Structure formats: structure tokens, C-alpha cells
């Protein structure tokens, strides 16, 4: 029994500690096909090698969120196996596209620790980085999770709360090398709306809905080698329900947002994210977006757009929080990200 | 809200109009593996590169129906998003096999329009063509759908009903370049029955059945980037059921027909097809076939066989229509196609 | 109707008969990705080309059990379509790793026949071999199944019961060419425990559980082109349940065993196996292992470990049989295999 991984507890983390996560993973056309089977993903840059080459890339990369899920999944056994809650994300950046045949690995640095006043749990802040086989960083993000203590009497560490940016600025964004939207084909991409057509403050109801099945979210979560028991084992929670991996909702909402944001091709930054309410099999996921900001970039024809992406399980479109500032019960996800779009 | 795709309505179509469909798609080994996971597909030409090479092809192509579904899926947002019913198919031909790494795109030409007498809907006839990255046509077919009008008062267009062939003749069939069944290995293919062993009029009960799950038909339909809401959203129909994409039944029936038609390797033409009754999760799909015609071809060792393929959810084998000529309630699909077989 | 495969009956087998199974199959990155989606598989050698190369292999092979399932699936239409029960396995050996792009085919030799005393069924023993496109044997195993007779009055053949090894010895094991664990990276592999850390007799509770869904086991079983009706057709059994392919439980248990046996990288032999009780959708599968034996090998840094792998649907860990020597009702699988591990 001593040989199985019990996961780390709050007192196992130290500021500055770097944890190399296990199980490097080669990704390829199989993962790409499964991504298209699991989500209604239609962004042309991730569906067609020809379209991607016409945009200056060597071929169609793995979906940005698939790369995120692989890196995130690697971190689970070391960071969130004993997590009570996944509290937030910040300073997420995509740094190099991931192509079929690449092998990804990940590591996390502990950048913050704060014991909770109840003495039973604490918040661990990590900066997780994924790298490819050349050692290039492919993406990085901070997240903070509430983790149980093993020993309730263990002394609290000195509280360190990292000073994370609320929002990445346009200067922080890394544009993939060679990206060029000056010859962008709007017909093939599926919508005529370019960067200039979106106004800050504008909201878009993405209309379509997808009812979620157990087999699908479990296949997705396993594909990313995420090992959290709560997603797979119906006997784990008292209510007999399997909690759906929050990343499944992120990918579902992003894919649904094609309808209205077909040209928000590449995700380059994750400013913030909250899994507002748990999602279960049988829920029908819908999505809406709001334009939060816009910026120009140095790449030819490429604009940046900052979007709020909200996933719901119904309810009125554009409803988010109640009078007390709490998310309404139908809101599943509130994500703040930067994407690249043809100008 | 104006940015999402509301789909085209009846009055948006014009005779001669050519619609280039969005989202080109690179297909590969991932799509092939998923096809084998979703359907009990066993035709050797589509399972083994070695077998395909022994038949004169450069390698194992993507299943003909997978190529069809990709092209069909691309047409949905432009042709059938507001469709009330998918009424029929004609003049379908496979023109070039699709190989892993190919990128498919599609366009449709409007070839017929006829407003219904109720003034609320009309029938739109299109000829849809899929092309690969070299510009070669990979397949084409006509289909007609009943589409809602946006404005009930809009004037009816001049009625144009295209004169489509009821059945393609052997001369219409395009045999893939290099195809040679003269050294065909019947043992590896799984059955000894050759073209000469089938008689016109003969019926074959394919025996096996597959009970359909929500997760499977949704994964399949998403894989083809088919966006019709009714397949994914349990809140869309009043009865809370998700209607299964008709193409899922076509592929299921074709795969089941291996048992008795293992050597009907390649589909080269679709003469006609009717989705006789809707299919829902929990239905157990079975299939039977009838030999409708046979023809020789110029390719070495290759014969053509015209088959009726009927999918049912039970009921007596070979039952098709009642006394009034209506499909019996258990019939899901009635398909008429040409396949190539070793002589 | 005469054209469909009724399967072989007991009197159709002869000692020494070699049956070449149909449908050669090219496997690749799609099958690898699906394996990761269907099972919580995390062994690094099968996840990362880089890790595999660091262990002396040319790249990451297809999971050993996926290779097994493909070969097993090919044998089903000829060996077990009319089987009442899959009784046992022996002398299973993996001989050459399977790499993406390989095409597998299989044949079985009848090595034993024994009619049962009831006169209605008999036991057929076969040795099944899978080969790749170069003709190299990739794996072989014996299994015996109880098969129905077609004609109850058919005379019983002379009983031949092969003398199969209860356990393969270390000398029987074939170590993949080039395998070298002398520079093995335990951090990337996920656990620090090496061959020397395991004691004969030691038991390991693998802790995690996975609740099984219909869509998943059917997708897996179809992926291996296993055609046994009982896995797919809810109308086939009187109780309306689909029996889950025993191999699905083998793969699930093996994947779960990562937690505690992350370094038992490669399966090289299958000594014995029993599907103790049937598994159905909704069951939550857990697993435990016991170390049965250990041996050194000639390959650098490579040790062999013989493991009992038990899958259950709950119950007390390490429970196996009751006082009468019968498996307890919660035991699904009792497998005895050899794996390779860094020393």
C-alpha cells in the first residue's frame, strides 16, 4: 500500500519547490481526431493543415486547449490529488504551438502558500509549465488550489501570496512565429466577422447546446491522463455522481463559441477562470461571450481580442451573478482569455 | 447575436448558386481509428494498408462513408440547418479515394427549388462536391431537403425540379485508379463469396445487432463536424430525445453488412436513400441487403454489385413497406448503392 | 442467409488444423490515442516516444494489451463465435513490439479437443499467433473455450488435452531487442519503486476505481474488431444486459495498476487468466496485485516480475476466493503475468 501515490498534502509544499511531473506524452493525429469527436470544434486552423499553412504555420497544431489539458493532466497527481477545490487561474500564456509528434512534459513551481484559518486546509499556488521535446516552453499558467493538510497540528508556513496580474497586457502575448492573417480566407473559416467588427462590451449568445454524457467526459479526461478520482468513480462521492473535469467544460464552451467567434482562431492567454458550479452528466451546456478588450499586434493581419467566455446549463443568456455577486446556479464557467483574430 | 449563423432559409437559395462550405478538414489515422471504434467495420481494404496495396491502391483509404460524412457535415450549416427533413439522395459517386493526410473541402450548387403548397416551406435540391487538397473531386451527390421560409409572404421562386437519374448505370461508376482484384485474398477478406456467387434478387440477413448509445452517435456526428442542433441538445425537441444523424445509421448498417457481404469492398455510387424512420438511443440496429443488379467493369477482377441496404430496429427480416407503400415503423434506412467486388 | 458466418461448432475443429483469421489490421496513432481515452493508461513507455527511445526502443510501441486485443479479436469469428465460455489462457508471450504503421494478422492452431460429458458442448484448445507485415510473430497465446456442437449426435473426437505450462519460466521470456533500463528515469515514469523494492508475496491495492459505461466498452471491443454479439446487442441476452468483453477488464485493471506498479512497464508473458464473474455497465472496477515471483534478465537494468492482477467491482481488497475455492462474486478477473521492470 505504501507504493501507491497518496498525493501531496498542504505541508508537503515549499515556496520555490519545483516538481517535475511524470509521464511525458507524445501527441498526434489520434488526439486531434478525438478532440473533434469529443467537442464540436470547428476552428479551421486546427482542422486543416492547408488552412494553417496559408496562415504561415507549418501545419495544423493540436488545439490550444488540448495542449493545456495535457499539461494540466500531468500536474494533477502532484498538485491536486488532495485538492478540495480548484480556485483560480492567472497569467496563462501559450508560447509555442504543439504539433503532431511532439512530446510534452510538465513541471510546476510552488509560488505561494497560505494556510486557511480553519487550520485544516491551505491554498497552494503553482506556476505550471509545459515543454516539448526540444525543451521549448509550450505554455505556462498559474493556478491555485485548496489542499487538505495531512496533519492538522502541523505548523502553518509563512503566508506567501503571489502578486499575479489580473489581466495579461497585449505586450505579454506571444504570437506564434510566422503567423500571418493577411491572406486569411473568411469563407473557409466559416464567418465574415473580422477583428474590426467586434466592439468592446459586445455580447454574443452562441445559441447551440450539447448534452453531456458520462462516457464522453471520462474519455476526454482520461485522454489527458488526469487521474482525479472524482471524475471516474461513481462510488467516490456520496451522491453517486461523477464530477465532470472543469477542462471538459472549457473545451465544450470554446467549441460552442465557434458560432459567432469562428475567427477567434488561436488562444494565446488565459487571464482568469472560475469553475462557478459543478457540472454533471445530463446537463446541457450552452455558452455566451463578451468582448472585454481589443489590441493590435505586430504580426501581419493579426489582432488580439480579449473575451469572457461563460458556460451555462441553461438559464437566461448573459446572466452571470446575482445581487450578492455570487454566480447564478446555472453558470458553470467564467473564463477570461485573449485570442488572435484576422484584422 | 447578429454574428451567429442562423442558417439559410428557403428564399435565400437561387438556382445556379454555388456555396463554398467552411472548415476544410485534414483527415488521417485518427479518423480511421475512430471509425473502427464507432462502427463494427471490418472490410479489409479499409483496415489494412497491406491488403489495400495488394489490391493496387497506394494504401488503405479512409472508409468511403467517412469521406461522405465529412463532406456532408461541411454542407449542413449552409444547406440543412433550418431543414425540416432530409428528403432524398441521388447521383452519388465516389470519384477519388481519400487517404490519410488529405484535406477535404466541399461546395454545393443549387440545382432545384420548389415551394410547397403550404407556403411555409420549400424543397431545395443541391449537388454537393467534396474536393481534396489537389482540387480533385473525391465525391459528389445530390440531395434535397425541405427548408423553412423566413418570411411566409415571400414570393415563390419559379419551380425547378432537376431531372435526376433514378439509378446510376455501370458506365457512370468511377473505378479507383489501379484497382485490381485479380489476386484478391478471400481468406484475409473474411468470406469466400465472390461477385459470381450473388444472384440478382437474393436477400441476405446480416444477423448481428448493435444497440446505440448517445455518446457514440454524438461523437460520430461531431467527428464529421455536423452542426445540426437536434443531434446534440436534449432540450431541443419537445420529447427530450436526441435524433440520431441519419449517416450514423448508414455507417452502422454498412458495417453490419460485412457479415454476408465482406467482399463488397468499395462503395462507388449512391443511387438513392431514405431515412424511413427516426432512430434514438437505445434502439438496436440490424440490417439486411438485397442484390438489385450486377455489372462487369473494365478493372481486372472487379465486378460491380448494386445493393439495397436496409437498417431496422428489429421486426421481421426483409419487411420493408406496408400495403400502402409506407415504410414499416421498424425500418430506419433504405439505401441503394453500387459496390465493387472481386469477380 | 447461407452467406453469413454462423461460426464454427465443436465438430468443425480437428487437431493440427490451422485457421488463418480474416481482416489484417494496420494500427497506428489513432489506436494509441483511443487506448489512452478508454483506459487510464499512464505507463511512460507507451505514452512517450522520447521515453521509449531512452529505453533503447525505436519509439513508443502500441500498448501490449492493445496488440493482444487486436490478435484476439481476429480469432473471435473462427474460434469463439459459438463459445459458451472463455475458459482459460496459458503460455502467452509477447515476442516483438508493435509500432504505429504495423499491420497485424493472426492464425490459430487447434491443439486440443475434448467433448464434455453432456454431449452438447466440447472444449477447444487453440494456440493463436499474431504476426506483423514482415512475418515476425508479435505475440502468441493458448486459450481454451467451451463451444457448442451443431449436431448433438455427432461422434466425439478422441480427447486430446494439451500439456500446457502452468507458468512460463524466466527462460521463456522474450526481451524486446535493445531494451535497456540502465538509464531509466524514475521521475518521468511516475514512481520511485524499482524491481528490488518489491517482495514476493507483497500485495498492492491500486486504490482508484472506474465506473464502466456501455459506450466505452463497445467502442473498445469494436476497435479490436471483436464480433461477439453478446457485447453489442442488448436484445441478445434474456436479461437485456450487454456482457462486457473480458479484455476490457484486463486493460482497465492493468491501467489502474499504474498506481503502485508504474514501473512494471512491459508485459512479456501471460501465464494464466480467468474471467471470474461477468462485468456489466455501471460496475465500478478496482484492482489489486500480488507479487508472485521475480527473476533477473540478461538485458541491461531489466528485471522480470511475475504479478497476479485481480480486478473487482468492490468488496474487500485482496479477497479472491471463498472457502470452497470459488471466486467471490465481486472478483471479475484473476490474471497471472510477467512484466519487465527497471532493476
Amino acid at each position: 500500500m505504501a507504493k501507491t501515490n497518496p498525493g501531496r498534502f498542504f505541508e508537503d509544499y515549499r515556496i520555490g519547490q519545483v516538481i517535475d511531473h511524470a509521464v511525458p506524452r507524445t501527441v498526434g493525429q489520434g488526439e486531434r481526431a478525438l478532440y473533434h469527436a469529443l467537442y464540436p470544434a470547428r476552428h479551421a486552423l486546427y482542422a486543416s493543415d492547408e488552412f494553417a499553412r496559408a496562415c504561415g504555420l507549418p501545419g495544423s497544431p493540436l488545439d490550444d486547449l488540448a495542449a493545456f489539458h495535457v499539461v494540466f493532466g500531468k500536474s494533477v497527481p502532484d498538485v491536486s490529488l488532495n485538492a478540495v477545490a480548484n480556485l483560480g487561474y492567472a497569467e496563462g500564456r501559450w508560447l509555442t504551438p504543439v504539433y503532431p509528434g511532439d512530446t510534452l512534459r510538465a513541471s510546476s513551481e510552488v509560488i505561494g502558500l497560505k494556510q486557511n484559518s480553519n487550520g485544516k486546509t491551505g491554498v497552494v499556488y503553482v506556476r505550471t509549465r509545459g515543454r516539448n521535446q526540444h525543451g521549448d516552453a509550450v505554455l505556462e499558467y498559474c493556478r491555485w488550489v485548496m489542499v487538505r493538510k495531512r496533519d492538522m497540528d502541523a505548523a502553518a508556513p509563512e503566508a506567501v501570496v503571489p502578486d499575479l496580474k489580473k489581466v495579461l497586457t497585449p505586450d505579454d502575448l506571444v504570437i506564434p512565429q510566422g503567423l500571418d492573417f493577411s491572406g486569411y480566407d473568411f469563407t473557409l473559416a466559416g464567418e465574415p466577422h473580422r477583428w474590426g467588427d467586434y466592439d468592446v462590451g459586445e455580447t454574443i449568445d452562441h445559441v447551440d447546446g450539447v448534452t453531456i454524457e458520462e462516457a464522453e467526459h471520462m474519455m476526454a479526461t482520461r485522454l489527458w491522463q488526469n487521474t482525479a478520482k472524482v471524475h471516474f468513480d461513481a462510488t467516490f462521492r456520496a451522491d453517486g455522481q461523477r464530477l465532470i473535469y472543469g477542462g471538459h467544460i472549457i473545451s465544450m464552451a470554446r467549441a460552442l463559441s465557434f458560432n459567432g467567434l469562428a475567427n477567434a482562431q488561436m488562444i494565446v492567454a488565459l487571464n482568469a477562470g472560475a469553475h462557478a458550479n459543478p457540472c454533471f452528466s445530463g446537463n446541457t451546456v450552452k455558452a455566451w461571450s463578451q468582448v472585454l478588450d481589443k489590441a493590435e499586434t505586430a504580426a501581419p493581419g493579426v489582432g488580439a481580442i480579449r473575451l469572457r467566455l461563460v458556460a451555462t446549463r441553461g438559464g437566461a443568456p448573459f446572466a452571470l451573478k446575482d445581487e450578492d455577486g455570487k454566480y447564478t446556479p446555472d453558470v458553470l464557467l467564467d473564463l477570461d482569455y485573449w485570442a488572435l483574430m484576422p484584422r
Side-chain angles (χ1 to χ4, degrees), chain A residues 67-117:
Chain A
F68 173 80
H69 296 320
V70 170
V71 171
F72 184 99
K74 311 246 142 289
S75 78
V76 166
D78 294 314
V79 174
S80 45
L81 210 61
N82 296 309
V84 184
N86 200 17
L87 298 172
Y89 303 97
E91 297 188 7
R93 298 196 304 168
W94 279 256
L95 303 166
T96 310
V98 175
Y99 292 100
D102 280 359
T103 299
L104 301 185
R105 44 194 290 184
S107 63
S108 294
E109 182 182 353
V110 179
I111 57 168
L113 287 173
K114 185 172 186 306
Q115 183 165 313
N116 286 324
S117 53

Side-chain angles (χ1 to χ4, degrees), chain A residues 64 67-68 71-72 89-96 98 105-109 111 126-132 136-143 164-165 168 172-174 267-272:
Chain A
D64 305 311
F68 173 80
V71 171
F72 184 99
Y89 303 97
E91 297 188 7
R93 298 196 304 168
W94 279 256
L95 303 166
T96 310
V98 175
R105 44 194 290 184
S107 63
S108 294
E109 182 182 353
I111 57 168
V126 295
R127 186 182 304 271
T128 298
R129 242 184 223 105
R131 294 184 183 280
N132 64 20
D136 304 328
V138 298
L139 63 89
E140 62 179 19
Y141 61 91
C142 299
R143 73 165 168 144
L164 299 173
K165 295 185 185 181
L168 290 167
D172 294 321
L173 307 182
V174 176
I267 300 183
V268 283
L270 175 62
N271 296 308

Side-chain angles (χ1 to χ4, degrees), chain A residues 3 13 15 24 42 71 88 95 100 149 159 167 171 183 217 225 235 270 284 286 290 302 307 311 320 325-326 337:
Chain A
K3 289 206 168 67
Y13 296 94
I15 293 290
R42 298 182 68 222
V71 171
L95 303 166
K149 289 177 70 176
V167 177
D171 283 352
H217 77 80
Q225 298 182 310
T235 68
L270 175 62
T284 298
K286 303 201 166 194
Q290 183 172 30
V302 179
L307 295 158
L320 190 66
K326 269 190 60 177
Y337 71 104

Side-chain angles (χ1 to χ4, degrees), chain A residues 87-328:
Chain A
L87 298 172
Y89 303 97
E91 297 188 7
R93 298 196 304 168
W94 279 256
L95 303 166
T96 310
V98 175
Y99 292 100
D102 280 359
T103 299
L104 301 185
R105 44 194 290 184
S107 63
S108 294
E109 182 182 353
V110 179
I111 57 168
L113 287 173
K114 185 172 186 306
Q115 183 165 313
N116 286 324
S117 53
N118 62 14
K120 296 179 181 169
T121 56
V123 179
V124 179
Y125 296 78
V126 295
R127 186 182 304 271
T128 298
R129 242 184 223 105
R131 294 184 183 280
N132 64 20
Q133 70 277 19
H134 309 300
D136 304 328
V138 298
L139 63 89
E140 62 179 19
Y141 61 91
C142 299
R143 73 165 168 144
W144 49 107
V145 291
M146 194 189 302
V147 178
R148 271 186 282 271
K149 289 177 70 176
R150 182 190 290 107
D151 171 11
M152 300 304 143
D153 298 329
E158 187 190 355
V160 175
V161 175
D163 185 26
L164 299 173
K165 295 185 185 181
K166 290 270 175 281
V167 177
L168 290 167
T169 63
D171 283 352
D172 294 321
L173 307 182
V174 176
I175 313 296
Q177 213 180 344
L179 190 72
D180 181 345
F181 282 161
S182 54
Y184 190 90
D185 187 327
F186 288 85
T187 300
L188 283 183
E191 289 184 350
H193 323 300
R194 53 178 75 229
W195 182 82
D197 297 330
Y198 290 85
D199 297 319
V200 174
E202 181 177 354
T203 52
I204 302 157
D205 177 0
H206 300 301
V207 181
D208 306 305
V210 173
T211 307
I212 306 232
E213 298 294 315
E214 301 282 17
E216 291 168 0
H217 77 80
M218 291 201 299
M219 287 184 69
T221 311
R222 272 191 296 256
L223 186 61
W224 320 127
Q225 298 182 310
N226 180 325
T227 58
K229 293 173 180 61
V230 73
H231 306 316
F232 303 107
D233 182 347
T235 68
F236 190 74
R237 282 167 56 106
D239 65 2
Q241 288 198 287
R242 279 162 273 182
L243 184 69
I244 292 175
Y245 164 49
H248 191 58
I249 309 306
I250 296 178
S251 279
M252 191 59 82
R254 160 73 175 161
L256 288 170
S257 79
F258 177 92
N259 197 350
L261 282 166
N263 296 319
Q265 288 284 356
M266 303 192 89
I267 300 183
V268 283
L270 175 62
N271 296 308
H275 300 291
N277 284 291
C279 184
F280 300 104
S281 171
N283 287 176
T284 298
V285 176
K286 303 201 166 194
W288 58 269
S289 293
Q290 183 172 30
V291 181
L292 297 178
D293 200 359
K294 292 170 64 178
E296 301 190 355
T297 84
V302 179
I305 186 166
R306 186 182 149 213
L307 295 158
R308 157 173 274 159
L309 172 62
V310 177
T312 72
R313 61 178 145 225
F318 312 128
L320 190 66
K321 296 183 178 178
D322 62 19
E323 293 170 355
D324 303 330
K326 269 190 60 177
Y327 286 109
T328 59

